[in-house]
Amino acid sequence: GWGSVGSQPFGLRRIVYEGKESPLAIKSVSLEKDGFTVHFTRPVNAENAADLGSYTVEHWGYLYSEKYGSPLVERTKVAPGSVAVADDKMSVKLTLPELLTEKVYRITIPDLGEGLSTRIAYYTLNRLKN
């Protein structure tokens, strides 16, 4: 069908939970006053997650114009200042030296030794948290 990939005439399917343990994955990213908190679907290995040097953060902007698309503008690597693993091991907080608006942040999570299914998270920062 139109708009679907494959032989089926539709693009949506129902997923049924079978009671098995979910994979370790990034659940969400939330903005903090001084950085980001990355939430996971399961507890992480605290020792691996506490290794500050294994996180990579970068940001960039886009040119706004009447034309479609834009190159990445001012792509910059940012060294996190600290990382803190939550007591329940379900999240890590990355503190950054400065947060800039109108930027897309890319956060690369280290190999946590547990088969993290997705290691990259993106956050579009339009407005700082009060």
Side-chain angles (χ1 to χ4, degrees):
W2 184 88
S4 67
V5 176
S7 60
Q8 301 296 325
F10 47 84
L12 298 176
R13 296 190 182 218
R14 182 175 181 205
I15 299 173
V16 179
Y17 178 64
E18 295 179 347
K20 298 178 182 176
E21 189 174 86
S22 62
L24 176 59
I26 297 170
K27 181 177 180 182
S28 63
V29 176
S30 56
L31 177 65
E32 306 294 337
K33 287 186 177 185
D34 57 353
F36 296 98
T37 298
V38 181
H39 305 270
F40 299 96
T41 56
R42 290 196 344 231
V44 297
N45 178 305
E47 184 178 336
N48 292 351
D51 181 9
L52 178 62
S54 60
Y55 290 86
T56 304
V57 179
E58 62 182 321
H59 63 69
W60 60 83
Y62 292 101
L63 297 174
Y64 293 100
S65 71
E66 68 281 356
K67 296 180 182 178
Y68 181 80
S70 166
L72 303 184
V73 178
E74 298 176 355
R75 190 171 187 170
T76 307
K77 289 188 178 186
V78 181
S82 67
V83 60
V85 181
D87 291 340
D88 64 1
K89 301 178 183 75
M90 294 292 288
S91 65
V92 296
K93 180 181 177 187
L94 289 172
T95 303
L96 300 178
E98 180 181 31
L99 292 171
L100 300 174
T101 59
E102 298 184 10
K103 301 287 183 186
V104 175
Y105 280 80
R106 176 184 166 148
I107 304 166
T108 304
I109 309 297
D111 178 11
L112 298 175
E114 301 179 23
L116 184 62
S117 63
T118 304
R119 294 184 53 208
I120 299 174
Y122 294 88
Y123 192 99
T124 302
L125 181 53
N126 292 314
R127 187 175 34 203
L128 296 174
K129 194 168 189 172
N130 294 331

